[in-house]
């Protein structure tokens, strides 16, 4: 898929082939905004398995599985086997975790480090914990790994959650609490893991230190300023430049968690009936889960938000929901709500399937979509492109989804007297539904990516590759061909800052340079949106535009027959 998916995968490949494991680069340009651990994980996967798209995705898949297992073990330790199993299943089959692990972003792995850190803190705070030293080391290691995944936020969230918990339980100002937490050992462990990369990144991308609260075009102040000030402080304040992102309205950001935890969010009201007494381990962990959720959501209430930014609270919500189901708090009521939702979804999707059953679906799905570029700075911005006609291309996924929700409604009714039976029915239903979602994503592949253009480029005669617009627009071409390109009017978005570095490669060209190269007589290829081809015609003439391949409104053209 174009955009972040192929960008992350290509950065990892560049690290592996160049041997530079400190500075991430795209098209030779320093890419300083992200921490490197996700790239290291992918590069290690490449080294063992070869450079493939599935090899890039494998570390994230393993992290998601490990996250579900850790949630299960956390729940089992605190609230018993059944609650742990239900918590793990809740997380593993929730809509949000499935949806947001289709993209190569580090948030699921970050959520894993946060979950481990909070579990480790709870273990360390237990007076009778027999392996306290191990959990202290694990707390520090998880914070250190989190810093290498997504920066300071990986420490901020656990610290806020643990601090809130200690304040609520009146332990915040007790010397015995801080002695058990062994903060010096925790910090040393975290620094041993995270500090070397930060220091090397500062040394290799000078100036070493710079301080400014202004962010704008044409400014280059090295790694330290960009990473800590621009990407952390100014992004939190919504003052970061370039502003190549959008923000979800606050109320919607909160409410969408009911969707991301679907179908298990139907049982959320039961968590209000649980005990949060600190007299029991289960009560203490539930109270920590509330502090955990509150810390993350309150933080983002005052910051910019994308749909998946709330992922760090999914395990906390899963622990509460799993405990609620195990203790059968509002279980019958939640099951009735979920049965009604499943029946309504089966009916609604079934009606949609009937409407499009006789509609033709020629070519690919792109011709049935309506583009909304203003929405694409949101993670799920392409959802707005769907039209009724587009569902004619999704008949098989629709049929599978109808079957999944119909099975859910009927199965829950049949198993209504058994908690285990109901949980099993819901779990199986979601596994089937995820297959429908997977097939739908495959149908969208050509629209969201440029793999067909990459195939044709590989089969074409040699020539200079040029890309119109930002690197992200055709990033899958660069990954599948392992090619670099000149970027025509592409000095913007994520590569803009690195383009002003003293050692930045000369890969950015304007109209004059593009016109000279396109009319020089040497073969060139251009990756461009179809809407940009009129500009090419103005600069070089229509007779110098020869289409090599087209795909969903994108084109690969050359200047020679």
């Amino acid at each position: 898929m174009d955009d972040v998916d192929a960008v992350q995968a290509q950065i990892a490949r560049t690290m592996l082939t160049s041997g530079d494991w400190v500075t991430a680069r795209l098209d030779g340009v320093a890419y300083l905004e992200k921490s490197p651990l996700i790239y290291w994980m992918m590069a290690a996967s490449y080294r063992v398995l070869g450079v493939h798209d599935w090899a890039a995705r494998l570390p994230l898949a393993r992290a998601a599985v490990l996250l579900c297992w850790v949630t299960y073990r956390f729940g089992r330790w605190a609230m018993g086997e059944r609650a742990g199993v239900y918590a793990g299943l809740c997380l593993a089959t929730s809509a949000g975790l499935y949806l947001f692990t289709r993209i190569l972003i580090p948030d699921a792995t970050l959520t894993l480090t946060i979950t481990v850190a909070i579990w480790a803190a709870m273990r360390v705070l237990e007076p009778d914990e027999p392996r306290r030293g191990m959990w202290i080391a694990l707390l520090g290691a998880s914070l250190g790994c989190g810093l290498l995944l997504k920066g300071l936020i990986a420490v901020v969230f656990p610290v806020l959650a643990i601090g809130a918990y200690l304040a609520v339980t009146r332990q915040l100002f007790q010397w015995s609490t801080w002695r058990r937490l062994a903060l010096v050992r925790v910090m040393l462990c975290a620094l041993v893991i995270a500090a070397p990369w930060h220091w090397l990144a500062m040394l290799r991308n000078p100036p070493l230190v710079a301080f400014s609260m202004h962010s704008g075009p044409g400014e280059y102040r090295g790694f330290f300023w960009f990473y800590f000030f621009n990407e952390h402080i100014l992004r939190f304040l919504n003052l970061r430049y370039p502003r190549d992102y959008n923000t979800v309205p606050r109320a919607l950001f909160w409410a969408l968690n009911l969707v991301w935890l679907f179908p298990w969010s139907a049982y959320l009201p039961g968590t209000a009936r649980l005990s949060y007494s600190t007299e029991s381990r289960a009560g203490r962990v539930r109270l920590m889960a509330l502090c955990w959720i509150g810390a993350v959501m309150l933080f983002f209430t005052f910051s910019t938000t994308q749909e998946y930014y709330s992922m760090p609270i999914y395990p906390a919500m899963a622990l509460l929901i799993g405990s609620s189901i195990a203790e059968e708090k509002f279980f019958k009521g939640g099951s009735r709500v979920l049965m009604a939702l499943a029946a309504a979804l089966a009916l609604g999707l079934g009606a949609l399937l009937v409407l499009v059953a006789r509609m033709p679906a020629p070519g690919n799905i792109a011709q049935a979509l309506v583009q909304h570029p203003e929405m694409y700075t949101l993670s799920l911005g392409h959802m707005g492109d769907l039209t009724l006609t587009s569902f004619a291309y999704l008949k098989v996924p629709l049929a599978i989804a109808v079957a999944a929700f119909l099975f859910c409604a009927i199965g829950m009714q049949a198993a209504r007297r058994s908690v285990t039976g109901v949980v099993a029915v819901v779990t199986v239903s979601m596994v089937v539904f995820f297959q429908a979602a997977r097939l739908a994503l495959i149908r969208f592949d050509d629209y969201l990516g440029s793999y067909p253009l990459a195939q044709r480029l590989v089969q074409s005669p040699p020539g200079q590759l040029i890309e119109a617009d930002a690197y992200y627009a055709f990033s899958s071409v660069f990954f599948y061909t392992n090619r670099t390109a000149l970027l025509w009017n592409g000095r913007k978005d994520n590569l803009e800052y690195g383009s002003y570095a003293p050692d930045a490669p000369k890969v950015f060209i304007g109209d004059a340079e593009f016109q000279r190269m396109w009319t020089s007589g040497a073969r060139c290829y251009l990756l461009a949106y179809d809407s940009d081809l009129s500009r090419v015609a103005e600069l070089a003439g229509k007779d110098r535009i020869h289409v090599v391949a087209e795909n969903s409104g994108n084109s690969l053209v050359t200047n020679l027959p």
Side-chain angles (χ1 to χ4, degrees):
M1 189 169 77
D2 284 331
D3 208 277
V4 68
D5 252 28
V7 162
Q8 305 281 57
Q10 186 64 6
I11 288 175
R13 171 190 265 168
T14 301
M15 280 190 166
L16 181 63
T17 56
S18 69
D20 182 356
W21 296 78
V22 175
T23 303
R25 296 186 185 277
L26 276 178
D27 213 34
V29 180
Y31 185 86
L32 301 177
E33 64 186 73
K34 302 297 183 186
S35 305
L37 186 53
I38 188 172
Y39 308 133
W40 294 348
M41 292 163 64
M42 286 189 283
S45 181
Y46 292 157
R47 175 159 286 178
V48 174
L49 302 169
V51 179
H52 309 284
D53 48 11
W54 58 267
R57 298 184 187 281
L58 192 58
L60 176 58
R62 288 177 172 172
V65 172
L66 186 56
L67 172 62
C68 296
W69 181 80
V70 167
T71 302
Y72 152 68
R73 290 299 300 268
F74 194 174
R76 188 181 78 166
W77 170 77
M79 298 170 288
E81 179 70 23
R82 291 179 69 223
V85 170
Y86 296 154
L89 286 175
C90 170
L91 184 59
T93 56
S94 62
L97 187 66
Y98 176 84
L99 182 63
F100 296 126
T101 50
R102 303 308 96 189
I103 314 166
L104 281 175
I105 53 177
D107 293 73
T109 315
L110 170 70
T111 301
L112 172 61
T113 67
I114 291 170
T115 304
V116 171
I118 291 174
W119 185 19
M122 294 301 290
R123 297 292 294 255
V124 169
L125 289 170
E126 286 285 304
D128 58 349
E129 173 56 51
R131 294 180 292 177
R132 185 167 162 270
M134 183 195 78
W135 288 101
I136 288 171
L138 193 58
L139 173 56
S142 60
L143 294 177
C145 290
L147 284 168
L148 291 176
L149 276 166
K150 210 165 182 179
L152 299 180
I153 204 76
V155 173
V156 170
F157 286 162
V159 167
L160 287 178
I162 295 166
Y165 172 78
L166 294 177
V168 170
T169 57
R170 300 182 180 180
Q171 301 179 71
L172 190 60
F173 300 108
Q174 294 181 8
W175 171 245
S176 59
T177 299
W178 298 106
R179 189 171 63 246
R180 283 199 299 271
L181 283 173
L183 291 186
V184 173
R185 287 162 63 186
V186 169
M187 287 189 291
L188 282 174
C189 187
L191 288 173
V192 165
I193 292 171
W197 173 77
H198 288 84
W199 180 247
L200 286 172
M202 290 165 61
L203 288 175
R204 295 189 185 182
N205 299 277
L208 196 63
V209 176
F211 300 92
S212 175
M213 290 296 287
H214 178 265
S215 180
E219 300 174 351
Y220 184 80
R221 302 189 183 98
F223 166 81
F224 176 85
W225 176 85
F226 189 73
Y227 184 78
F228 288 106
F229 278 79
N230 204 51
E231 289 303 307
H232 285 81
I233 300 172
L234 296 180
R235 190 179 187 113
F236 176 81
L237 298 172
N238 203 19
L239 297 174
R240 172 191 183 265
Y241 180 87
R243 199 181 188 285
D244 54 353
Y245 56 91
N246 210 329
T247 188
V248 179
R250 300 295 182 273
L252 184 61
F253 180 70
W254 279 74
L256 278 173
N257 286 295
L258 297 177
V259 179
W260 309 147
L261 268 294
F262 176 84
W264 307 101
S265 48
Y267 297 100
L268 202 55
T271 62
R273 301 181 183 180
L274 294 169
S275 170
Y276 295 88
S277 170
T278 56
E279 297 301 314
S280 68
R281 180 186 292 170
R284 292 193 292 272
V285 170
R286 292 175 194 138
L287 186 58
M288 169 56 87
L290 289 182
C291 295
W292 180 352
I293 294 166
V296 174
M297 296 305 291
L298 187 63
F299 178 91
F300 282 123
T301 296
F302 296 99
S303 180
T304 57
T305 54
Q306 289 276 318
E307 299 94 323
Y308 57 87
Y309 280 12
S310 64
M311 191 184 293
I313 74 169
Y314 295 179
M317 294 184 73
L319 288 168
L320 292 177
I321 292 169
S323 180
S324 173
I325 294 173
E327 295 194 11
E328 299 188 40
K329 305 291 188 181
F330 192 67
F331 180 74
K332 291 182 179 178
S335 294
R336 284 194 292 267
V337 170
L338 185 52
M339 276 192 287
L341 280 172
L345 285 167
L347 185 63
L349 293 174
L352 185 57
L353 182 59
V354 170
L355 283 174
V356 301
R358 296 183 179 276
M359 286 186 183
N364 68 43
I365 198 170
Q367 56 197 311
L369 301 171
V370 177
Q371 291 195 340
H372 295 87
E374 71 282 0
M375 296 291 293
Y376 298 161
T377 49
L378 292 172
S379 179
L380 299 180
H382 280 286
M383 295 292 287
D385 297 350
L386 289 169
T387 63
L388 177 62
T389 308
S390 66
F391 284 99
Y393 294 79
L394 304 173
K395 293 169 190 172
V396 173
L398 275 173
I400 295 174
V402 169
F405 290 123
L406 192 60
F407 171 78
C408 185
I410 295 172
M412 288 182 71
Q413 175 63 23
R416 65 188 181 279
R417 298 184 186 278
S418 167
V419 174
T420 303
V422 168
V423 170
V425 167
V426 175
T427 300
V428 171
S429 300
M430 289 306 293
V431 170
V432 175
F433 174 71
F434 290 157
Q435 295 308 307
R438 184 183 66 84
L439 292 174
L441 287 171
I442 291 172
R443 204 71 169 95
F444 274 97
D445 188 56
D446 284 351
Y447 178 63
L448 297 175
S450 301
Y451 181 64
L453 301 185
Q455 286 180 305
R456 288 300 304 276
L457 182 59
V458 169
Q459 298 163 3
S460 300
Q464 173 64 58
L465 181 61
I466 305 171
E467 189 225 32
D469 205 37
Y471 184 96
Y472 274 48
F474 295 91
S475 57
S476 58
V477 172
F478 301 123
F479 175 76
Y480 286 112
T481 64
N482 195 24
R483 296 271 296 267
T484 57
L486 297 175
L487 305 178
W488 176 30
N489 296 329
R491 180 178 266 182
K492 56 183 178 180
D493 297 341
N494 301 74
L495 290 187
E496 181 173 351
Y497 183 75
S499 73
Y500 296 113
D503 61 346
K506 307 300 182 184
V507 297
F508 300 95
I509 61 173
D511 287 354
E513 182 66 9
F514 171 78
Q515 184 181 42
R516 184 192 65 77
M517 294 183 66
W518 201 254
T519 58
S520 67
R523 184 176 293 279
C524 297
Y525 293 97
L526 175 69
L527 293 163
Y529 299 133
D530 288 352
S531 56
D532 291 331
L533 295 183
S534 59
R535 180 59 179 159
V536 179
E538 289 178 17
L539 292 172
K542 290 184 179 180
D543 59 324
R544 289 186 176 270
I545 300 176
H546 303 277
V547 177
V548 178
E550 293 179 303
N551 178 65
S552 302
N554 303 329
S555 291
L556 172 67
V557 299
T558 184
N559 59 337
L560 300 177

